[in-house]
Amino acid sequence: MPLLYQDEAQARSALIEVTSYDVQLDLTGPGETFTSTSTVTFAAREPGTETFADVVALDLSEATLNGRRLDPPVDGRLRLGDLARTNVLRVSGTFAYSRDGQGLHRSVDPADGQVYIYGMSFLDAAPQVFACFDQPDLKAPFDVRVSAPDDWVVAGNGHAEQVAPGDWVLATTPPLATYFVTVCAGPYATVEREHDGIALAVHARASMAQQLREQADDILRVTERSFDYYHQLFGIRYPWGDYHQFFVPEFNAGAMENPGCVVFRDQYIFRGHPTRGELLSRASVIAHEMAHQWFGNLVTMRWWDDLWLNESFAEYMGYRTTAAVNEFPDAWARMGIERKTWGYAEDRGPGTHPVAGSAAGDNYTALTNFDGISYSKGASVLRQLVAWLGDEAFLAGVRAHLSAHRFGNATLADFLAAMQQASGQDVNTWAGAWLRTTGADVLSVGSAAGVPTLICTPPGDPAGRRHVVEVGAFAGGQEVQRFPLVVDATITPLPDLLVGRAVVVPNVSDETWAQVDLDEHSLQVLPQELASIPDLDARQVIWSSLIEGVARVVLDPRRALEVFEASWPDEPSDVIAGPVGVKAAFVFAGDFLPYEERPAAIASVAEAAMRRLAGLDDGDPAAISTARLLAATTRDHELLQSWARGESLPAVLADDRDIRWSALHRLAALGLADEDAIAQLRRSDPTLTGALAAVAAGAAIPTADAKQRAWSALVGAHLSNYEAARVAGSFFDVSAPGSLELLRPYVDRFFTEVPRLSHAYGEFALSSIVSAGFPLSITEPHTAEQAQVALDDGDLTASARRQILQGLALLRDALRSHERFASK
């Protein structure tokens, strides 16, 4: 697809109004193609003018406007000349299924050979399925008909009715943006239920039917509670009819909020016993996508520069709902350690951008802004807005906004006007400070004239942000102080604060977007104090401070590792212990240390995991994340080989195939397992998950032949989107002796070959591949030089450029850490 520029979209929107779509899809043919027929009715405000429609087909058998044949499309654009006041566009042809997660994605389940199809029309993928005017502000009702094999389940945005064997008619939808349109079809296993007059259904591949049945009650309970909560909060009933949730293979994102038919990556149907953190994350994603049914679907952004109207709000509501009604009061802590650390990294990097109103002159540039800023920073800023305005005023503004723009489009200005009217506060000034700036303030404790103070250090020029926060102090396993504050100056006196006598935690309830630097006394006593601090949010803020301190190169990774070794084995909450363990392995003990120190540091992480595991009951779900960390870091060959055989595992993991793959992957990366061992485990796990684990383990083998095979498959485009990301993410593993020498020649090849694979994998998938494969583990100036050469070349798509920029920033920070904290 060519870029769609904002000025082109605005001109097209000013010229035409789309009144209806009729789409017919025939999925009955064998092989890699399907047929699609689109009939689009639209009005032109100026007859005699021209515009264009979007379509990406292998072959068009018909393309007519008002009965007049059209010239073939050029670069995905179908020229429409001499428009009448009322127009009918009809396009029919053969289209290609994809393997990159966009358009109509076709996947064959290796477990049973069954075929599954799902539609992903975001961001510019709708023209790969049907001819359309593909931009978010040209909404229209859709009628969709589908022909499929007789034994398939078919669903989409409107209620689906099978009118004859294999023939399905979907009910006419309310006005939809084209990027929401989906059809899911295949021999899916299904569990159905009704709640409050809404027909609910969850679906997964037939080979996952048992797991779906076992987990459907939890999924549907979260769904039902979230519906009740949103009806109460928004004052508008769910407007899209049925509510399907499809857990589909090889999905690029976590989920997509298609009205009435949400698709999720099927890793959310857990193969083994899930951790509490995994259940919490699934609940928050379900609630996030449900919030979109109002904010994003009912009211849609006019152009991609207001994408925050979708994602920030849904992210905030997802965690709020999960904490309020879905039995996870620790949801905000999980967001802090998992999502906010992602957002902080994005916000200090070269690709940072404001939460709202980011320049998006074309649709692909907009894709680069679907990141930790649009999600976690935006959600955190909204949480801070609620803390300032009060919940009642915030919700009144939300209801007014949704009601005023129901089934239409809106902008940031519309949202702010609703908030200002509801609250009577100067929301525009707040937006200027929070939504239209970049970076995070840093909160720390110091002293002025001997008086303890809270110091707020902005990134660069002061943005005038006002923080509604709390400061807490802890000693001897107790909370000894807590101060609520409104911070609107660089220095805020705190004369009674126990600095130097307690662990002092700014932003202790984590209600604002700000990084925290701990004072020296707090850092010194953390190894003895951290695990006993009774407040979950406070411990999460401390762990995040350590992670971010290392990443910002203000904290020696050795000091963070010392705290980890002493405190993490006794961390009471697995909801934060799981993510902290992963980050410790790759931040405290990984790339921010020189090569020669990494083996011992990783060994200390493994020892901490062993101690934590020894202190847990065999059936405790917390043992799952701990065992995974141990499998990823230990060099205990006997333990890894035993676990790879499925022996001597904690009881909660006794039948867990994923832990076997984790152990085998580590053996492969250490040079202790070959392709025969991988093939043997693969034969016992003939699933898509097993296939992905096998290609990842194969790419980690530290031999010249194995690396060449993996590389050839990756750059030769012989892989699916998921396979490519897994190969890229495993390739630059330096665990085995001699790996550096083996991998260094591939650094140059990475920057010249991988970022140019969008033709093979699509822009969305390529972003994940470049991010996963960036050779950060080869932490050397030459790697940075080659990354800069790639950026200077200029021949990169927006997504590939963004990921290389972010990777280069991390690499330079790691190199700075080596230099600043050189071991004595």
Side-chain angles (χ1 to χ4, degrees):
M1 285 290 292
L3 297 179
L4 177 65
Y5 292 95
Q6 184 176 12
D7 56 357
E8 295 178 307
Q10 289 171 338
R12 187 162 64 173
S13 182
L15 178 62
I16 69 170
E17 179 181 358
V18 187
T19 52
S20 70
Y21 283 92
D22 184 284
V23 178
Q24 301 176 54
L25 301 176
D26 187 341
L27 313 181
T28 58
E32 306 299 322
T33 64
F34 62 97
T35 61
S36 170
T37 299
S38 310
T39 303
V40 189
T41 304
F42 66 100
R45 295 181 177 90
E46 298 180 32
T49 54
E50 72 171 54
T51 188
F52 62 91
D54 307 296
V55 62
V56 179
L58 294 176
D59 177 67
L60 290 185
S61 57
E62 178 185 3
T64 63
L65 176 66
N66 302 327
R68 185 178 73 251
R69 290 186 62 83
L70 298 171
D71 291 335
V74 177
D75 291 333
R77 291 188 174 184
L78 194 62
R79 181 174 174 270
L80 310 178
D82 194 21
L83 297 176
R85 189 164 298 280
T86 300
N87 302 272
V88 177
L89 171 67
R90 183 174 172 84
V91 178
S92 183
T94 302
F95 291 66
Y97 290 116
S98 79
R99 290 196 73 203
D100 64 8
Q102 300 298 100
L104 271 192
H105 182 97
R106 181 180 186 270
S107 178
V108 179
D109 188 346
D112 55 16
Q114 298 273 32
V115 173
Y116 295 89
I117 291 166
Y118 62 85
M120 176 61 160
S121 295
F122 179 89
L123 169 85
D124 66 339
Q128 296 173 225
V129 184
F130 56 94
C132 58
F133 299 102
D134 193 26
Q135 58 191 70
D137 61 339
L138 289 177
K139 301 171 80 169
F142 276 78
D143 286 284
V144 177
R145 286 166 283 169
V146 180
S147 296
D150 292 355
D151 61 339
W152 281 17
V153 172
V154 173
N157 305 104
H159 173 76
E161 182 179 350
Q162 190 171 19
V163 296
D167 290 334
W168 297 75
V169 175
L170 278 61
T172 304
T173 70
L176 293 182
T178 50
Y179 79 91
F180 291 137
V181 177
T182 191
V183 166
C184 297
Y188 286 96
T190 299
V191 176
E192 297 176 296
R193 188 179 296 177
E194 183 176 306
H195 176 72
D196 192 19
I198 304 168
L200 309 178
V202 292
H203 313 263
R205 287 174 284 143
S207 63
M208 304 173 73
Q210 179 179 345
Q211 293 98 321
L212 179 70
R213 287 192 295 269
E214 292 169 351
Q215 297 171 49
D217 277 348
D218 180 69
I219 293 168
L220 290 170
R221 183 167 56 250
V222 170
T223 305
E224 292 165 353
R225 290 173 175 171
S226 299
F227 265 133
D228 293 344
Y229 190 58
Y230 290 147
H231 287 157
Q232 170 199 340
L233 291 186
F234 302 150
I236 298 173
R237 280 191 58 82
Y238 169 71
W240 303 105
D242 300 348
Y243 194 70
H244 293 268
Q245 296 176 93
F246 277 84
F247 294 84
V248 302
E250 300 175 333
F251 192 67
N252 281 326
M256 178 63 196
E257 65 267 20
N258 311 307
C261 190
V262 177
V263 290
F264 299 81
R265 58 171 56 210
D266 61 11
Q267 288 94 327
Y268 287 122
I269 302 297
F270 307 116
R271 299 212 304 170
H273 197 110
T275 67
R276 177 176 174 81
E278 287 172 330
L279 290 171
L280 189 161
S281 293
R282 182 172 70 186
S284 70
V285 172
I286 290 171
H288 174 118
E289 304 308 323
M290 294 180 70
H292 273 308
Q293 305 306 312
W294 286 265
F295 222 101
N297 297 5
L298 183 66
V299 179
T300 307
M301 60 197 171
R302 188 167 295 162
W303 178 246
W304 300 107
D305 53 359
D306 269 332
L307 65 88
W308 91 286
L309 288 171
N310 286 19
E311 299 307 340
S312 299
F313 185 86
E315 184 88 344
Y316 167 75
M317 289 307 308
Y319 282 99
R320 172 177 171 149
T321 304
T322 303
V325 300
N326 283 319
E327 300 179 345
F328 289 103
D330 42 3
W332 288 115
R334 181 72 169 200
M335 180 192 170
I337 198 63
E338 198 167 54
R339 304 290 279 183
K340 289 181 75 172
T341 51
W342 168 44
Y344 286 138
E346 298 272 5
D347 205 16
R348 66 172 173 269
T352 187
H353 57 86
V355 173
S358 302
D362 61 76
N363 51 0
Y364 277 10
T365 299
L367 180 60
T368 68
N369 290 340
F370 278 79
D371 57 15
I373 296 170
S374 300
Y375 284 79
S376 65
K377 182 178 182 179
S380 301
V381 168
L382 286 176
R383 194 179 183 199
Q384 183 64 194
L385 177 63
V386 174
W388 173 46
L389 296 182
D391 200 48
E392 185 176 335
F394 173 76
L395 291 175
V398 168
R399 294 185 195 111
H401 181 74
L402 293 174
S403 297
H405 304 284
R406 183 184 177 105
F407 294 120
N409 298 84
T411 66
L412 170 61
D414 296 321
F415 176 78
L416 296 178
M419 285 292 155
Q420 187 137 336
Q421 179 67 30
S423 68
Q425 299 291 330
D426 183 6
V427 179
N428 280 306
T429 298
W430 172 88
W434 280 105
L435 299 180
R436 297 189 176 96
T437 61
T438 61
D441 294 347
V442 178
L443 301 180
S444 59
V445 171
S447 64
V451 176
T453 60
L454 182 67
I455 304 169
C456 179
T457 307
D461 293 333
R465 300 185 185 105
R466 172 188 294 170
H467 298 271
V468 180
V469 296
E470 294 179 320
V471 177
F474 303 87
Q478 295 183 337
E479 179 178 311
V480 293
Q481 285 180 315
R482 185 173 291 248
F483 296 95
L485 295 171
V486 176
V487 178
D488 54 9
T490 303
I491 301 294
T492 302
L494 290 167
D496 298 324
L497 190 63
L498 295 174
V499 179
R501 289 171 288 166
V503 175
V504 177
V505 188
N507 191 28
V508 66
S509 52
D510 200 25
E511 286 191 305
T512 194
W513 181 260
Q515 298 188 312
V516 168
D517 283 346
L518 299 174
D519 65 278
E520 181 59 30
H521 173 79
S522 296
L523 284 170
Q524 287 178 359
V525 301
L526 276 183
Q528 296 77 44
E529 293 277 1
L530 177 52
S532 66
I533 289 175
D535 186 271
L536 172 64
D537 290 320
R539 296 198 311 277
Q540 181 274 123
V541 169
I542 292 169
W543 283 119
S544 294
S545 174
L546 296 175
I547 293 164
E548 290 304 303
V550 172
R552 291 165 46 226
V553 198
V554 297
L555 180 66
D556 189 333
R558 300 168 189 84
R559 293 196 71 178
L561 187 59
E562 178 188 359
V563 177
F564 178 84
E565 292 169 333
S567 301
W568 184 81
D570 298 315
E571 167 54 50
S573 170
D574 191 50
V575 162
I576 59 174
V580 167
V582 172
K583 292 176 187 296
F586 296 100
V587 179
F588 304 164
D591 306 318
F592 282 72
L593 286 174
Y595 291 133
E596 63 271 15
E597 294 185 47
R598 292 181 195 176
I602 289 291
S604 71
V605 173
E607 172 59 27
M610 183 69 81
R611 285 190 285 120
R612 181 175 176 83
L613 193 62
L616 295 170
D617 182 85
D618 246 13
D620 190 335
I624 300 170
S625 60
T626 307
R628 290 172 183 166
L629 180 64
L630 179 58
T633 55
T634 186
R635 289 180 177 266
D636 185 333
H637 307 162
E638 292 183 3
L639 174 71
L640 290 170
Q641 289 163 351
S642 176
W643 282 13
R645 294 191 300 268
E647 300 170 357
S648 304
L649 287 161
V652 74
L653 287 164
D655 299 317
D656 192 294
R657 288 174 289 183
D658 293 333
I659 193 66
R660 296 183 62 188
W661 278 115
S662 295
L664 186 61
H665 187 116
R666 178 65 171 166
L667 286 167
L670 293 170
L672 301 173
D674 59 16
E675 290 176 344
D676 288 341
I678 295 170
Q680 181 178 349
L681 183 53
R682 175 75 182 91
R683 284 191 290 272
S684 71
D685 185 12
T687 65
L688 181 59
T689 303
L692 294 172
V695 298
I701 295 174
T703 66
D705 287 346
K707 293 300 181 185
Q708 182 57 50
R709 280 192 294 272
W711 191 263
S712 296
L714 175 63
V715 300
H718 304 313
L719 306 173
S720 72
N721 55 335
Y722 266 36
E723 289 169 336
R726 293 294 296 274
V727 167
S730 299
F731 192 87
F732 287 102
D733 191 310
V734 297
S735 300
S739 293
L740 281 172
E741 291 74 17
L742 179 65
L743 292 171
R744 280 188 178 114
Y746 284 98
V747 169
D748 293 13
R749 297 185 65 182
F750 176 87
F751 291 111
T752 57
E753 298 175 39
V754 174
R756 293 169 175 81
L757 291 173
S758 61
H759 67 282
Y761 296 112
E763 190 73 358
F764 206 105
L766 181 63
S767 178
S768 298
I769 294 165
V770 174
S771 176
F774 189 96
L776 183 63
S777 60
I778 315 298
T779 320
E780 298 171 351
H782 179 75
T783 307
E785 291 165 6
Q786 292 305 301
Q788 190 61 58
V789 167
L791 293 170
D792 292 342
D793 181 35
D795 186 24
L796 296 175
T797 63
S799 294
R801 173 173 293 278
R802 171 66 181 271
Q803 295 305 330
I804 293 175
L805 274 171
Q806 290 294 118
L808 178 57
L810 285 171
L811 176 61
R812 286 173 170 163
D813 285 342
L815 290 169
R816 284 197 303 118
S817 180
H818 295 183
E819 182 177 353
R820 178 174 182 181
F821 302 113
S823 57
K824 301 295 190 290

